Amino acid sequence: MSTTSAESVRIEPQVFGNLTVPRRSGLGGLSMGVSLALVPVVLLGILFLATGRWVLAFGIVALAAVAVLLLKVTTRQGRSIYGRITLRLAQRVKEKSGRDVYLAGPTGKGTPDGATRLPGLMAKSELAEFTDSYGNPFGLIRVAGAGVYNYSVVIEAHPDGDSLVDREQVDHRVAVWGAWLTQRGLDEGIRGASVTVESAPDSGLRLTGLLEANRVEESPDYARGVTERIGQTYQGGAPQLVARVAVTFDGRRRDGKAGDRGLAEMAEEIGTRLPGLVGGLQGTGAGSVKACTAAQIIDFTRVAYDPTVASIVEEMQASGGTGLGWEDAGPSFAQDSFEHYRHDRAVSKSWTMYQGPAGNFTANSLKRVLEPSPGLLRKRVTLLYRPIPAERTTALVQQEQNDAAFAGSQTRRNARAALRQAAAAKTAAEEAQGAGLTRFGLIVTITGTSEDELKPWDKRIPGLVAPARLRVRPALANQAVTFQAGLPLGLVLPDHMLIPDTLREFF
């Protein structure tokens, strides 16, 4: 008789990495923008030396050296001393001009019709409802700006989570999600996508409604007592957790002329493509997936700006709907402070990613920050994606290889430069095999009742994202626009910036 022993095999989790930031390298480890800015200084120094004005020449060179030194040694959280001073000045100008305060409603300013529209970049947005090719309704958000005509749809999902899920299944879900993002770069007219995971305390209305709907008058006293005890004990049970995916389409005319293609044409095109977008999320672990209607978009936007009405909105939804319009979804009062954003009866603070993962990470690296946090009215974690069109990926990969080689030639035996060259070569190989390129960012927003309630989170939030090996910082002097970008409304911030990506890469 023979016996066999089974040895447990440990399955190592799949790791991901090789993330790089497109940038243009300059001389001596400086950025290309700083290197170009030093060219006039060098020319002036040579000119003064040639004319015998030695003091001026050395003075200019000394000032330039001090300026560069301050740029290198005063950088904290990705901001130099010049950047921090600029933020302070911008906030002061904003407060003096009164643009830090938003007042709407019957007693507000700038809203003669008494509406409470969304502030900022979403002030002139429009919301309409259409049906897709399968006859399902969906809300369509239109945001127009200077040469920008973006149309966004919102897809609501209820993720299954990773409990009792095999490692192979998790890796499969990650692969399907990566393929979904890659396809967005191949699709025509996709400006961006975002995934927002929002957690909030449970109001208890869902449990109460479920118990009331199944209550029978002839039920035994014991059964009635048990159900009543359940309602009293677990009324504030598990927190609500919902994920929303926003996809933004480019509405500009395709013939190269300036102008908008129009709401009707875009609704027809998006309605045809929407079932494919929703179906592509089925294998990602998103669970139940469905496009949001206009009423649903209005309701969760209203709750985001005033979380204290969440239970009222939920109760009205159960009884037929809130009846709110898009012009009612915004706050009646908002104040954009340097470190906080006050809106109606709540205060929020947002953090943005300024440095991506420096090494490898796993599929559950963001699990800690995505989990519900007790003591907050709301917490939103938003991943922003901007798929790069397929026709541009080859040029960007080649440019990164050239910049990495140039940066490596500036120093001798630099480990970081060698790693950058290796990463650029690996990216080029993967792109040649059909992989896509996607820019991404992260916004974390927490909402409470007061500033004191949010203070302990100044150190907690950076610690929650630490397992993902990325770094976040407060959105100083930009709390209002960051709060809005973290909402699942499809707002693509780079489309509204004065400086395009091609120029920002120099700095």
Side-chain angles (χ1 to χ4, degrees):
M1 179 177 180
S2 61
T3 60
T4 59
S5 61
E7 296 183 359
S8 60
V9 179
R10 181 181 178 183
I11 301 177
E12 295 294 334
Q14 183 77 18
V15 295
F16 308 91
N18 197 44
L19 302 180
T20 58
V21 180
R23 60 188 184 274
R24 306 300 296 271
S25 301
L27 299 173
L30 300 175
S31 65
M32 181 65 71
V34 175
S35 300
L36 293 177
L38 291 176
V39 172
V41 176
V42 174
L43 294 178
L44 282 176
I46 295 175
L47 178 62
F48 289 143
L49 284 175
T51 56
R53 288 178 282 186
W54 300 83
V55 177
L56 286 176
F58 284 111
I60 289 177
V61 173
L63 288 176
V66 171
V68 172
L69 183 63
L70 287 176
L71 181 67
K72 299 291 288 185
V73 303
T74 63
T75 299
R76 295 201 305 267
Q77 294 184 334
R79 295 189 183 102
S80 66
I81 188 173
Y82 308 116
R84 296 193 294 273
I85 292 176
T86 301
L87 290 176
R88 289 286 182 182
L89 293 177
Q91 181 67 23
R92 186 173 301 177
V93 171
K94 188 194 315 180
E95 292 175 354
K96 285 188 176 182
S97 62
R99 290 184 290 109
D100 62 318
V101 177
Y102 174 77
L103 295 175
T107 60
K109 58 180 180 180
T111 54
D113 56 353
T116 54
R117 295 183 179 85
L118 300 183
L121 297 175
M122 299 290 293
K124 295 183 179 180
S125 61
E126 304 173 26
L127 175 64
E129 186 168 290
F130 301 91
T131 56
D132 61 16
S133 56
Y134 288 176
N136 299 317
F138 69 93
L140 184 60
I141 306 172
R142 177 181 181 271
V143 179
V148 177
Y149 304 98
N150 289 343
Y151 293 81
S152 303
V153 292
V154 184
I155 304 170
E156 185 169 292
H158 299 275
D160 303 326
D162 60 352
S163 299
L164 303 179
V165 179
D166 295 337
R167 175 58 56 187
E168 292 81 0
Q169 183 64 25
V170 172
D171 294 340
H172 174 73
R173 292 177 176 180
V174 174
V176 174
W177 172 246
W180 191 88
L181 287 177
T182 301
Q183 185 61 41
R184 302 293 74 79
L186 299 176
D187 291 345
E188 184 179 4
I190 299 292
R191 295 300 302 168
S194 67
V195 179
T196 302
V197 179
E198 184 177 44
S199 59
D202 189 5
S203 63
L205 294 176
R206 290 178 298 171
L207 178 60
T208 302
L210 180 64
L211 295 176
E212 291 294 335
N214 292 275
R215 189 185 301 275
V216 179
E217 294 297 334
E218 294 79 10
S219 60
D221 295 338
Y222 176 77
R224 187 178 304 174
V226 170
T227 55
E228 290 179 355
R229 185 64 179 271
I230 291 175
Q232 296 172 0
T233 305
Y234 299 101
Q235 187 172 9
Q240 298 181 3
L241 192 66
V242 62
R244 297 184 178 95
V245 180
V247 182
T248 303
F249 298 81
D250 191 354
R252 291 176 297 182
R253 296 177 56 174
R254 294 178 176 174
D255 55 6
K257 298 181 180 179
D260 186 8
R261 294 168 58 188
L263 191 62
E265 181 180 347
M266 290 301 300
E268 182 179 359
E269 177 183 334
I270 294 174
T272 303
R273 300 167 64 175
L274 185 57
L277 294 174
V278 175
L281 296 172
Q282 296 293 338
T284 62
S288 161
V289 184
K290 189 176 181 181
C292 291
T293 63
Q296 290 174 322
I297 296 175
I298 293 170
D299 291 345
F300 73 67
T301 304
R302 182 72 195 101
V303 171
Y305 277 99
D306 190 1
T308 60
V309 303
S311 58
I312 301 176
V313 169
E314 187 176 346
E315 188 174 358
M316 295 182 68
Q317 287 174 339
S319 59
T322 60
L324 296 174
W326 188 237
E327 65 278 2
D328 305 317
S332 58
F333 164 78
Q335 184 178 16
D336 186 12
S337 302
F338 188 69
E339 295 186 359
H340 301 88
Y341 180 52
R342 296 180 176 274
H343 45 96
D344 284 349
R345 289 165 285 189
V347 181
S348 294
K349 185 171 183 176
S350 299
W351 287 259
T352 60
M353 184 187 76
Y354 70 91
Q355 182 179 334
N360 295 331
F361 55 93
T362 60
N364 60 351
S365 296
L366 292 175
K367 184 175 182 179
R368 288 181 58 190
V369 72
L370 292 175
E371 290 176 344
S373 300
L376 295 174
L377 292 177
R378 277 290 190 278
K379 185 179 74 173
R380 279 187 304 278
V381 180
T382 301
L383 283 163
L384 306 172
Y385 299 96
R386 279 195 297 146
I388 298 176
E391 61 270 13
R392 292 186 54 205
T393 56
T394 303
L396 287 177
V397 167
Q398 185 62 48
Q399 175 183 303
E400 175 60 20
Q401 281 189 297
N402 295 336
D403 288 338
F406 177 78
S409 66
Q410 299 298 305
T411 55
R412 299 178 61 182
R413 296 181 180 179
N414 190 316
R416 291 185 179 273
L419 289 175
R420 183 182 176 188
Q421 293 182 48
K426 185 177 180 181
T427 300
E430 293 176 350
E431 190 273 337
Q433 296 175 1
L437 299 180
T438 303
R439 298 176 184 266
F440 75 97
L442 176 72
I443 297 177
V444 180
T445 301
I446 59 174
T447 302
T449 57
S450 64
E451 295 182 10
D452 294 335
E453 186 178 320
L454 303 183
K455 283 183 179 179
W457 294 92
D458 289 337
K459 294 183 178 180
R460 293 181 189 175
I461 294 298
L464 292 178
V465 300
R469 305 190 66 178
L470 54 84
R471 301 291 181 266
V472 295
R473 64 187 180 190
L476 303 179
N478 288 287
Q479 287 290 325
V481 66
T482 307
F483 176 89
Q484 203 166 79
L487 294 175
L489 300 178
L491 186 62
V492 182
L493 290 182
D495 288 349
H496 301 272
M497 292 182 178
L498 298 177
I499 303 177
D501 290 334
T502 53
L503 292 180
R504 288 201 301 272
E505 290 175 3
F506 281 84
F507 301 93

